[in-house]
Amino acid sequence: MRTFLACSGIDGQQKAIDKLETLVRQRHPDAILFAGGLFAPPQSDESPAAAAERRHRDVQLLEQFFATLGATRTVAAVIPGPTDSPLRAFLMAGINARSQSPGVHLVHCTIITARDVVISGVGGELTEVEDSGEPMVRSSRTTAEYFLQAFDTAAESEKILLLGSAPKGVLGGSTGNPVAGDLIDTYHPKLCVVAGPSEGRGVEQVAHTTIVQPGSLATGSAAWIDWNRDIDEQVEMIGPPA
């Protein structure tokens, strides 16, 4: 595998799924890397009726998202974002999609191998101690380190890691996630794709890891990674300027 479409942040919008489908059709990547953010965050003052309607829309969007990935006939690696709750529903949809479309993979706390590449991920908000699937998806440091053991020892030399949080530094700023930074430092993937808003999208090189924050598909942003190019030309940001 040499070319990848990195993306996140559908944020409950059908137009963002359409954008994803269009980009795959135009670019023909070897793999799609989705770092979470399928659902829009709930409003703090949401009424019970509005919450029920939102959940109904989320179920429809979830089905449409995985159906679209399957229809592309492209390898897709997916993790949930912090607002992609309840986690059990997201995981079940991914399992069902995998049974119908072998190229679609949930890599949350697991790994897949595709040709010469191993891909893994830890979805949701990364925390020091808390794991939760409702009302927010969270993964603790211990959970991440436990499930990434297989990623660390995989024989494939080219490793890709998907994280739901950007580390401190160029992409995450001073409020970036320290657990994300530690995971990158520990497992040294060749490529790490992290979720975040379009205004914070960009690329950061940490040792031999290229970290890409592609922005939000809901605003038309994504990133194209081509390992056939020189290292300083491998990442192309897609979409309008942030």
Side-chain angles (χ1 to χ4, degrees):
M1 287 194 165
R2 310 304 295 171
T3 59
F4 309 91
L5 178 66
C7 51
S8 67
I10 285 172
D11 298 342
Q13 299 187 32
Q14 176 63 46
K15 70 173 185 179
I17 295 180
D18 296 339
K19 177 68 174 179
L20 172 59
E21 185 177 26
T22 298
L23 287 172
V24 174
R25 187 170 60 249
Q26 292 174 341
R27 298 275 182 151
H28 304 290
D30 292 331
I32 302 163
L33 308 174
F34 183 78
L38 180 60
F39 302 149
Q43 301 298 313
S44 59
D45 58 350
E46 190 176 54
S47 68
E53 175 61 26
R54 174 180 54 79
R55 286 192 292 269
H56 177 69
R57 292 196 306 269
D58 285 350
V59 169
Q60 293 180 315
L61 193 78
L62 189 60
E63 293 174 350
Q64 180 62 33
F65 171 66
F66 281 111
T68 298
L69 289 179
T72 66
R73 300 185 181 276
T74 303
V75 173
V78 176
I79 61 171
T83 63
D84 294 334
S85 175
L87 180 59
R88 64 183 182 278
F90 193 95
L91 297 180
M92 183 57 68
I95 291 170
N96 292 338
R98 179 79 173 87
S99 67
Q100 299 176 29
S101 304
V104 178
H105 304 270
L106 268 177
V107 297
H108 174 60
C109 293
T110 188
I111 67 170
I112 64 164
T113 56
R115 302 182 212 172
D116 56 341
V117 174
V118 60
I119 308 173
S120 187
V122 183
E125 178 188 356
L126 294 167
T127 72
E128 286 294 343
V129 297
E130 183 178 8
D131 288 304
S132 175
E134 295 183 58
M136 300 285 286
V137 179
R138 297 183 176 91
S139 300
S140 70
R141 179 189 293 272
T142 301
T143 295
E145 291 176 346
Y146 177 79
F147 284 108
L148 288 175
Q149 290 178 97
F151 178 71
D152 189 36
T153 58
E156 287 76 13
S157 58
E158 308 291 15
K159 297 182 178 182
I160 297 174
L161 181 63
L162 309 183
L163 298 176
S165 305
K168 289 184 177 181
V170 173
L171 301 178
S174 60
T175 60
N177 192 291
V179 177
D182 289 346
L183 294 178
I184 294 168
D185 290 342
T186 298
Y187 301 106
H188 308 293
K190 178 173 182 177
L191 172 65
C192 181
V193 179
V194 300
S198 291
E199 55 266 26
R201 69 179 184 166
V203 183
E204 181 178 9
Q205 192 72 30
V206 176
H208 74 275
T209 298
T210 302
I211 309 172
V212 178
Q213 201 276 66
S216 170
L217 277 168
T219 63
S221 295
W224 178 255
I225 297 106
D226 186 347
W227 283 350
N228 296 307
R229 300 176 182 175
D230 293 337
I231 190 167
D232 58 348
E233 299 177 346
Q234 287 181 354
V235 182
E236 172 193 350
M237 306 310 294
I238 299 171

